[in-house]
Every structure is written in C-alpha cells, then in structure tokens.
Amino acid sequence: MENENVIEVRNLTKKFGHFTAVDHISFEVHKGEIFGFLGANGAGKTTAMKILCGLSRPTSGEGKVNGYDINREQEKIKRNIGYMSQRFSLYPDLKVWENIRLFGGIYGLSSSTIRAKSEAMLRYLQMENLRNELVGRLPLGWKQKLAFSIALIHEPSIVFLDEPTGGVDPETRRMFWEMIYATAEQGTTIFVTTHYMDEAEYCDRVSIMVDGVIADLDSPAALKQRYHATDMDSVFRQLAVKAQRKE
Ligand code: ATP
C-alpha cells in the first residue's frame, strides 16, 4: 500500500531578519507513523513545528498538514491537529474535569460528547478518583498523560508532542510511550520532539536537524547502520557535532 502523507513540506524556510532559523527543509510524514523530530538546542525544531501547527508563517516554501495549506489555511490546521508541550499544556488552577471540559469546548465538542469522552478518558487513565483534583497538584507524569489525552479529545489525525516527557521519571516515560504506541496503532500520526535518545529508538522514522537543515532522516535501524552506531545517541552526536550555532 502506498504511504498516505499527513505532512508534506518543500523548501520550508523561516528567516528572522538576516538569520535563517529553518533553511529549505523538505520531508513527508506518513499516516499513522511515529515521527521523531530531533535536533540540538537552537537547530530550528520549534520554529519549524510552529509553522506545521499553523502558529507561524514560513518566509518561503510550501506544504500541507492534514491536506491544509501551511501558507493559507492556518485556522483549519489549528482546529484539526492536537498539540501538547511541557511549556503550554493544562491550566494548573483548574480541576482535572474542568480542564477536560475547557479544551473539549475549545475544540467545539458538544457538552454530551465532552461528558462521555471525559468519563472514558478518566477510566483509561485510572484517574476517576482524581477528577476533582487541581491539575497543579498532580505529579508531572500524570499531568503529561492527562495533557496527551486531552490533546486527542477531538480525534485529530495528527498530534504534535513537543518534548512531552521532559523531566519525567523513566517508569512514567515508559507508560507515556505505551500511550503513544496505542494511539499510533489506531491510525493517529505522532510528531514528537525529544531530547531522550532512547525515545528516538521508539520512533518509526527520525529526522535530525542541525543548524536549520535536516542533516539526515530515516528509520533508527537505517541511521544506526549508516553511521556505524550501536545506538541513536551515537548517531545524534556524530551529526550534531557539526553544529555551528550556539544555544
Ligand atoms: P530548542 O531545543 O532549544 O527549543 P530549537 O531547535 O527548537 O531549539 P528554535 O527555537 O527553533 O530551536 O530556534 C532556532 C534559532 O532561531 C535559534 O538560534 C533561535 O535563537 C532563533 N529564533 C527563534 N525564534 C526567533 C525569533 N522570534 N527571533 C529571532 N530569532 C529567533
């Protein structure tokens, strides 16, 4: 079967004045794959990801996310993707159920749909007894699992995860990745940035950005073979060592 692309970009470029943060990058992401978007600090990941999420316009280049044009259909992109990051996630001063209701409403779901989904979500997360807890009082790992589920509440075909497991303990990271696998198995595409190289191994394909360009992109197995490496950490270091940019 031919791969169906959920993301396609060609020569995507973003300049800030004379500085080119993202420099003519081109790639595709297939439906249902777990796509790792790696790069050293300052490589341009966040800048590129903002464009793919409809939050920023490229200086030049073209592309589609979910079939919507990144230059002309940003509002449609925003409504049709899921997004979670550690920096922007849930409201700590609201209770668990209030966060679910808020984001369900933002994505335009009806009250009855939100109620049904929130019950199913709390059951799945085994958080039924925490529905009245303030999100700010949850351990980070629970917060991130809840944030991931909420990012999927409107059943987007692609979800962007920006360092979703930063600072989370290894056991919870493992559970988080089980959720990612289960979600991808249902056909949802996962676009994930991470600094953890063991997590890069879990991706179907990995792109590694260095100084605004994609230095390489392939499956972890193919990358390891190409760079005569036993793990992704070694692949990453061999590519990132060429970086000129400072953080
Ligand atoms: P990190 O892992 O640290 O988040 P990153 O790969 O996401 O790094 P970006 O945040 O995309 O990197 O930044 C890429 C480069 O563009 C950096 O050198 C950064 O200083 C620069 N940059 C980002 N946003 C702006 C802006 N609004 N104005 C000027 N320069 C910017």
Side-chain angles (χ1 to χ4, degrees), residues 14-17 19-22 37-50 87 162-163 193-195 209 211-212 245-247:
K14 181 77 178 186
K15 295 188 178 194
F16 297 110
F19 177 70
T20 307
V22 174
F37 200 56
L38 311 186
N41 291 329
K45 303 181 299 291
T46 305
T47 305
M49 194 148 140
K50 275 191 186 159
R87 287 170 290 253
D162 192 2
E163 292 183 33
T193 72
T194 179
H195 282 294
M209 269 187 95
D211 290 352
R245 276 183 199 169
K246 295 276 174 282
E247 276 178 44

Side-chain angles (χ1 to χ4, degrees), residues 18 33 43 55-56 99 115 121 128-129 134 167 184 209 223 241:
H18 293 297
E33 87 172 325
L55 298 170
S56 155
N99 266 284
R115 254 196 312 277
M121 190 188 297
E128 285 148 302
N129 56 345
L134 290 178
M209 269 187 95
L223 288 170
V241 76

Side-chain angles (χ1 to χ4, degrees), residues 149-169:
S149 297
I150 290 180
L152 296 168
I153 196 166
H154 55 307
E155 298 175 17
S157 52
I158 178 161
V159 62
F160 290 86
L161 307 175
D162 192 2
E163 292 183 33
T165 56
V168 174
D169 67 86

